[in-house]
Amino acid sequence: MAPDASFFPPSGPFSAEELSAISGADLARRPGRTSRYDNVAALDSAGASEVSFLDNKLYTDQLKMTGAGCCVVRPENLELVPVDAAVLISDNPYLAYAAIASAYHPDWDETYVPQTDDDRIHASATIGDGVEIGTGAVVGPGAEIGAGSRIAPNAYIGRGVRIGENCRIGASASIRFSVIGDSVAIYAGARIGEPGFGFAVSDTGPVSVPQVGRVVIGDSVEIGANTTIDRGAAPDTIIGAGTRIDNLVQIGHNVEIGRMCIIVAQVGIAGSTKIGDGVQIGGQSGISGHLTIDDGARIAACSGVMRDIGPGETVAGAPAIPMRQFFRQTAALSRLAQKKES
Amino acid sequence: MAPDASFFPPSGPFSAEELSAISGADLARRPGRTSRYDNVAALDSAGASEVSFLDNKLYTDQLKMTGAGCCVVRPENLELVPVDAAVLISDNPYLAYAAIASAYHPDWDETYVPQTDDDRIHASATIGDGVEIGTGAVVGPGAEIGAGSRIAPNAYIGRGVRIGENCRIGASASIRFSVIGDSVAIYAGARIGEPGFGFAVSDTGPVSVPQVGRVVIGDSVEIGANTTIDRGAAPDTIIGAGTRIDNLVQIGHNVEIGRMCIIVAQVGIAGSTKIGDGVQIGGQSGISGHLTIDDGARIAACSGVMRDIGPGETVAGAPAIPMRQFFRQTAALSRLAQKKES
Amino acid sequence: MAPDASFFPPSGPFSAEELSAISGADLARRPGRTSRYDNVAALDSAGASEVSFLDNKLYTDQLKMTGAGCCVVRPENLELVPVDAAVLISDNPYLAYAAIASAYHPDWDETYVPQTDDDRIHASATIGDGVEIGTGAVVGPGAEIGAGSRIAPNAYIGRGVRIGENCRIGASASIRFSVIGDSVAIYAGARIGEPGFGFAVSDTGPVSVPQVGRVVIGDSVEIGANTTIDRGAAPDTIIGAGTRIDNLVQIGHNVEIGRMCIIVAQVGIAGSTKIGDGVQIGGQSGISGHLTIDDGARIAACSGVMRDIGPGETVAGAPAIPMRQFFRQTAALSRLAQKKES
């Protein structure tokens, strides 16, 4: 699935030869039919007209089953690409992908900047009945604000953002590249949809990878003050209905959080981690990227989670381990230290 | 003590029967006299015309001595309620309380949203001599800004907020439901008085509990950039005079912090914890809810405090233990790992 | 080197006798020539017309070699001050320095507060070709915005701030006392140049020490949403070219970060720590103040760094130790706890 064109209209299309020239990757296999490609997409959702890549070997199985029409991979992975797809090979597929994605999306961090008060609430925005929009607040072109919603002063609603009914957006909060359900509360200073922390490493320093996914927020979600939720890199960042997120929480790009989760203040969730329904995460805990936390898991405050957590499992510590084991280790260490002393 | 009516004017009053109907809790004991109740209040400060509840057994002693005229409790706690109070029983007293508090305070997160520049600084606000108010800043109805204070551009001062003399409020900071002393500095992007992370768990997901307390800040307090201090649930969140709080700190609802404390960046203090005078808390430390940290305690950086800390005690680690013990444990573990190796 | 007078124009000059009167420190040694001092400065960069101080004994070597014309020190350090400098002695040199610095810089937290829309973008600011400045954004007197830069709505650019070409400043971000290179991205809600957490402890509570350094940011740096970077106390806070900083990071005053570093979300770096080039710091890690982290060091997520880290070293844990040792300790503790059980 390509990026949402209402936020990220693609340039192109480009042929496999053009993509090779753009990225510096070698065209190692060309498909039988002459093709042109319309856009980039994630491996697990790409279609025949889309380009994808494999960099993190964690996703090798996705490569083998991808529907992408063109893939950028390391030389040793050439044979893993499904036979009907073109293959570009590179020693640094992520860097090559960055160049390709930048060609499709040269203005991927497009920001609506009204410069006169007449443009502050853009004429093309759709404003529902009974909506209040405070002084200084911005509503971009094509944005939609559902009936009964309240946008506090100096908030920023970017181009094309859709906000449901009866939402409350706090003072100076900002929302970009996002689709938000009904009855959602986003408190003051929260940052929804800023670009994720995505870059490829090159000899001349980090190169930004276009962040062309959205933030999708379900009904009745609450998001605390000064919390930051980055938009996806190509898939979306998703927050399920009824989930409550406290203040100063960081949620990285591509994270998926289920329904009715409780995420206490200052938690950090790194990119691409998937969290089930009804998960509870104590304050200041950190969760590494690319993990799966199953339904009903409970993570104690101040934990550092470095592995998958099974359904209903309760963990604590850094690295996080089952809670009972954590308490045993704490007790064992305490006894050990006393013994040394005597 | 009921919520400050200047911020939270109550609906009602309601009779015990009405409260039973509103909450679904059974009226298990009705007071001799026919009563109507005016408001909700915390157990330890409620009066005869107020309704309170017991959910966390930590506060059972407060229930036994409460002056509340009506209490919502679990069935097994019926006999603990003072004899002259009405009793509502429920298997989920917090959820029942949420319904009752919502009946008294249906618009408990009221937000002043001026929609024209003429209303940006409300005509009913009181502005002292020499006050500077920047472009884009909002000052709500009934708010008071003391002489010599400076409100930077795009800051938000909500309805009824009182700010003392010679205060400095930073760019895009927001302050709601708060009473602030003299010579206070609140730096850019700080969020004072957003609702606490309070909800009851129901079968259909979390249900918000009205947050009807304030933030009360003493003289000469400093609050760092992008720090968040939630307002109380029913009692106030309190920051004592002379206390310094660094950037990106999270302070939960009902927290009380004494005078002259030093709280370094990224600390998190969970709800209802009480901190004495002169306490020093190192960066990134977390403190669980409902604890007492006594005067002069020192908490090392990166600690996770899960128990009360005595006066003058110095702790480190997660879970935090006395500093000397922490260093002994660290050394013992280091020796143990070396031994296994050899 | 004295504070940048374009941000911090000094009062004075003051004689050694006047400085003694201002600070309550005793004039223990007066230079041969009668001198007047123009400003304060850090020990390692102060010149003959400047006043400095020693409080933290970590910097004793800097005292011995200082070029400062006047030093405030503890009585026992009198003889360490170079012979051609005047010496003020105090039992609390930091508190004495706070008084002196306040005399030179009584309005050290000067904030431009336009009160009419005509002053929102000050007439004396220099705006390059093709610059976009959003509604509600403030640009202070003497500020410079380079060609092609984009300032999103409601951002705040303080007096005298220099921003290079092709920069992107996010919604509601604020920048004060800073000098910023080309192609820098500062995302929504970031706080650049707020005062550091600096105060001396007195009998009557904390006394603010003027923060008269800047934030200096190199080319192509990116700074995440709601991140806070405090300005220096007297030296500058420095971020090297190409460095990427994620969301909700805290960087204290006087911190120096090299080129091409990667700093993941919610990291905290305490004051005066120096970080080399190409350093990678995992999410939620904390680094104590006054440390040196050498080129190419890697710090795992959730670490607590309490000592210097050598070039290329990889560490983990709190307190942070070499990564291999961390895994050995984790395994040893796990075995120990199992043994106790059996």
Side-chain angles (χ1 to χ4, degrees):
Chain A
M1 205 174 58
D4 182 339
S6 71
F7 293 114
F8 306 101
S11 298
F14 299 111
S15 68
E17 289 76 8
E18 287 170 321
L19 294 174
S20 171
I22 285 164
S23 65
D26 292 325
L27 182 55
R29 193 169 79 200
R30 137 188 3 242
R33 61 191 188 287
T34 303
S35 290
R36 291 169 75 78
Y37 304 94
D38 295 328
N39 213 329
V40 292
L43 274 180
D44 63 348
S45 69
S49 70
E50 290 157 5
V51 187
S52 198
F53 74 102
L54 177 74
D55 187 69
N56 185 335
K57 65 184 178 185
L58 208 59
Y59 297 106
T60 304
D61 285 350
Q62 291 188 5
L63 175 67
K64 294 178 188 168
M65 299 186 299
T66 188
C70 179
C71 294
V72 190
V73 300
R74 291 205 174 74
E76 61 269 29
N77 291 327
L78 171 58
E79 296 308 321
L80 302 181
V81 181
V83 293
D84 51 351
V87 183
L88 292 163
I89 59 174
S90 166
D91 290 334
N92 190 340
Y94 197 36
L95 184 61
Y97 170 79
I100 290 171
S102 296
Y104 282 109
H105 301 284
D107 193 25
W108 59 271
D109 195 41
E110 190 280 333
T111 300
Y112 176 61
V113 179
Q115 298 185 57
T116 68
D117 208 56
D118 281 352
D119 290 333
R120 198 165 56 75
I121 300 173
H122 196 271
S124 67
T126 304
I127 310 294
D129 288 345
V131 167
E132 296 177 275
I133 299 177
T135 51
V138 170
V139 180
E144 301 174 17
I145 316 286
S149 287
R150 181 178 82 197
I151 314 293
N154 302 320
Y156 178 90
I157 312 297
R159 184 189 300 271
V161 167
R162 280 101 81 187
I163 294 178
E165 301 188 352
N166 299 313
C167 292
R168 291 174 286 140
I169 311 299
S172 294
S174 56
I175 306 177
R176 302 166 66 199
F177 305 102
S178 298
V179 178
I180 293 174
D182 295 331
S183 302
V184 170
I186 294 176
Y187 292 108
R191 309 289 159 205
I192 313 299
E194 293 295 286
F197 199 56
F199 45 82
V201 175
S202 81
D203 294 343
T204 57
V207 172
S208 290
V209 175
Q211 302 290 301
V212 292
R214 307 170 299 176
V215 178
V216 178
I217 297 179
D219 294 342
S220 302
V221 167
E222 302 215 356
I223 296 172
N226 286 351
T227 279
T228 57
I229 302 181
D230 287 343
R231 69 181 187 260
D236 295 324
T237 302
I238 299 172
I239 314 291
T243 284
R244 303 265 172 145
I245 299 174
D246 201 350
N247 299 338
L248 292 170
V249 168
Q250 153 69 6
I251 295 180
H253 56 184
N254 312 339
V255 167
E256 295 181 21
I257 297 178
R259 299 163 56 90
M260 309 280 184
C261 293
I262 293 171
I263 300 178
V264 179
Q266 296 175 317
V267 161
I269 303 176
S272 302
T273 281
K274 294 189 184 350
I275 293 179
D277 294 338
V279 172
Q280 298 185 14
I281 308 177
Q284 295 191 333
S285 286
I287 304 182
S288 294
H290 305 283
L291 298 181
T292 299
I293 312 298
D294 269 320
D295 292 353
R298 302 173 72 136
I299 297 171
C302 298
S303 300
V305 178
M306 298 168 61
R307 61 164 183 82
D308 292 350
I309 307 291
E313 205 180 330
T314 299
V315 300
I321 51 179
M323 177 75 97
R324 291 172 62 95
Q325 200 175 330
F326 174 72
F327 283 123
R328 276 201 302 265
Q329 288 193 6
T330 299
L333 182 56
S334 175
R335 282 189 303 266
L336 178 72
Q338 281 162 5
K339 202 192 310 178
K340 297 281 167 186
E341 225 177 334
S342 60
Chain B
M1 205 173 59
D4 182 338
S6 71
F7 293 114
F8 306 101
S11 298
F14 299 111
S15 67
E17 288 78 7
E18 287 169 323
L19 294 173
S20 171
I22 286 164
S23 65
D26 292 324
L27 182 54
R29 194 170 78 198
R30 136 184 7 237
R33 62 192 187 286
T34 305
S35 288
R36 290 170 76 79
Y37 304 95
D38 295 327
N39 213 329
V40 291
L43 274 180
D44 64 347
S45 69
S49 69
E50 290 156 6
V51 186
S52 198
F53 73 103
L54 179 75
D55 186 68
N56 184 335
K57 67 184 176 185
L58 210 58
Y59 298 105
T60 304
D61 284 348
Q62 290 188 6
L63 175 67
K64 294 178 187 167
M65 298 186 299
T66 189
C70 179
C71 293
V72 189
V73 299
R74 291 204 173 75
E76 62 268 31
N77 291 326
L78 169 59
E79 297 307 322
L80 302 181
V81 182
V83 292
D84 51 352
V87 183
L88 293 161
I89 60 174
S90 167
D91 290 334
N92 191 340
Y94 197 36
L95 184 61
Y97 171 79
I100 290 170
S102 296
Y104 283 110
H105 300 285
D107 193 24
W108 59 272
D109 196 40
E110 191 280 334
T111 300
Y112 176 61
V113 180
Q115 298 185 58
T116 68
D117 209 57
D118 281 352
D119 289 333
R120 197 167 56 76
I121 300 173
H122 196 270
S124 67
T126 304
I127 311 294
D129 289 344
V131 166
E132 295 177 273
I133 299 176
T135 50
V138 170
V139 180
E144 300 175 17
I145 316 287
S149 287
R150 181 178 83 195
I151 313 294
N154 303 320
Y156 179 90
I157 312 296
R159 185 190 299 270
V161 167
R162 279 101 81 188
I163 293 178
E165 300 188 354
N166 300 311
C167 291
R168 291 174 287 141
I169 311 301
S172 294
S174 56
I175 306 177
R176 302 165 67 198
F177 305 103
S178 297
V179 178
I180 293 174
D182 295 331
S183 301
V184 169
I186 293 175
Y187 292 107
R191 309 289 159 205
I192 313 297
E194 292 295 285
F197 199 57
F199 44 83
V201 175
S202 81
D203 294 343
T204 58
V207 172
S208 291
V209 175
Q211 302 290 301
V212 292
R214 307 170 300 177
V215 178
V216 178
I217 296 179
D219 294 342
S220 301
V221 166
E222 301 214 357
I223 295 171
N226 286 350
T227 280
T228 56
I229 303 181
D230 287 344
R231 69 181 187 261
D236 295 324
T237 302
I238 299 172
I239 314 291
T243 284
R244 302 265 172 144
I245 299 174
D246 202 350
N247 299 338
L248 293 170
V249 168
Q250 153 70 6
I251 296 180
H253 56 185
N254 310 340
V255 167
E256 295 181 21
I257 297 178
R259 298 163 57 92
M260 310 280 185
C261 293
I262 293 171
I263 300 177
V264 180
Q266 296 175 316
V267 161
I269 304 176
S272 302
T273 280
K274 294 188 183 352
I275 293 179
D277 294 337
V279 172
Q280 297 184 15
I281 308 178
Q284 294 190 333
S285 287
I287 304 182
S288 295
H290 304 283
L291 298 181
T292 298
I293 312 297
D294 267 319
D295 292 352
R298 301 172 72 136
I299 297 169
C302 298
S303 300
V305 178
M306 297 169 61
R307 60 164 182 83
D308 292 349
I309 306 291
E313 206 180 331
T314 299
V315 300
I321 51 179
M323 177 75 95
R324 293 171 61 94
Q325 200 176 330
F326 174 73
F327 282 123
R328 275 199 303 265
Q329 289 193 5
T330 300
L333 181 57
S334 175
R335 281 190 304 265
L336 178 73
Q338 281 162 3
K339 202 190 311 178
K340 298 278 169 191
E341 226 177 334
S342 59
Chain C
M1 206 173 61
D4 182 338
S6 71
F7 292 114
F8 307 101
S11 299
F14 299 111
S15 67
E17 289 76 8
E18 286 169 323
L19 295 173
S20 170
I22 286 163
S23 65
D26 292 323
L27 182 54
R29 194 169 78 199
R30 137 186 6 237
R33 60 193 189 286
T34 304
S35 289
R36 290 168 77 79
Y37 304 95
D38 295 328
N39 213 329
V40 291
L43 274 181
D44 65 348
S45 69
S49 70
E50 291 156 7
V51 186
S52 199
F53 74 102
L54 178 74
D55 187 66
N56 184 335
K57 66 184 175 183
L58 209 58
Y59 297 106
T60 304
D61 285 349
Q62 290 189 4
L63 176 67
K64 293 178 189 170
M65 298 188 299
T66 190
C70 180
C71 294
V72 190
V73 299
R74 291 205 174 75
E76 61 269 30
N77 292 326
L78 170 58
E79 295 309 321
L80 302 181
V81 181
V83 292
D84 51 351
V87 183
L88 292 162
I89 59 175
S90 167
D91 290 333
N92 190 340
Y94 197 36
L95 184 62
Y97 171 79
I100 290 171
S102 296
Y104 283 109
H105 301 284
D107 193 25
W108 59 272
D109 195 41
E110 192 281 334
T111 300
Y112 176 60
V113 180
Q115 298 186 58
T116 69
D117 208 57
D118 282 352
D119 290 333
R120 198 167 56 74
I121 300 174
H122 196 270
S124 67
T126 303
I127 311 295
D129 289 345
V131 166
E132 296 178 273
I133 299 177
T135 50
V138 170
V139 180
E144 300 175 18
I145 316 287
S149 287
R150 181 177 83 196
I151 313 292
N154 302 321
Y156 179 89
I157 313 296
R159 184 189 301 269
V161 167
R162 279 102 80 188
I163 294 178
E165 300 188 354
N166 300 311
C167 291
R168 291 175 286 140
I169 311 299
S172 296
S174 56
I175 306 177
R176 302 165 67 198
F177 306 102
S178 297
V179 178
I180 293 174
D182 295 333
S183 301
V184 169
I186 294 176
Y187 293 107
R191 308 290 159 205
I192 314 298
E194 294 294 287
F197 199 56
F199 44 82
V201 175
S202 81
D203 294 343
T204 57
V207 172
S208 290
V209 175
Q211 302 289 301
V212 292
R214 307 170 300 177
V215 178
V216 178
I217 296 179
D219 294 343
S220 301
V221 167
E222 301 214 357
I223 296 172
N226 285 350
T227 279
T228 57
I229 302 181
D230 287 343
R231 69 180 187 263
D236 295 326
T237 301
I238 299 173
I239 314 292
T243 284
R244 302 263 172 145
I245 299 174
D246 202 351
N247 299 338
L248 292 171
V249 169
Q250 153 71 5
I251 296 180
H253 56 184
N254 311 338
V255 166
E256 294 181 22
I257 297 178
R259 298 163 57 90
M260 310 281 183
C261 293
I262 294 171
I263 300 177
V264 180
Q266 296 176 316
V267 161
I269 303 176
S272 302
T273 280
K274 294 189 185 347
I275 293 178
D277 295 338
V279 172
Q280 298 185 14
I281 308 178
Q284 294 191 333
S285 287
I287 304 182
S288 293
H290 305 283
L291 298 181
T292 298
I293 312 298
D294 268 318
D295 292 353
R298 302 172 71 135
I299 298 170
C302 297
S303 300
V305 179
M306 297 169 60
R307 61 164 179 82
D308 292 349
I309 307 290
E313 205 180 331
T314 299
V315 301
I321 52 178
M323 178 76 95
R324 291 172 62 93
Q325 199 175 332
F326 174 72
F327 283 123
R328 275 200 303 266
Q329 288 193 6
T330 300
L333 182 57
S334 176
R335 283 190 302 266
L336 178 73
Q338 281 161 4
K339 201 189 315 179
K340 299 279 169 190
E341 225 177 335
S342 60

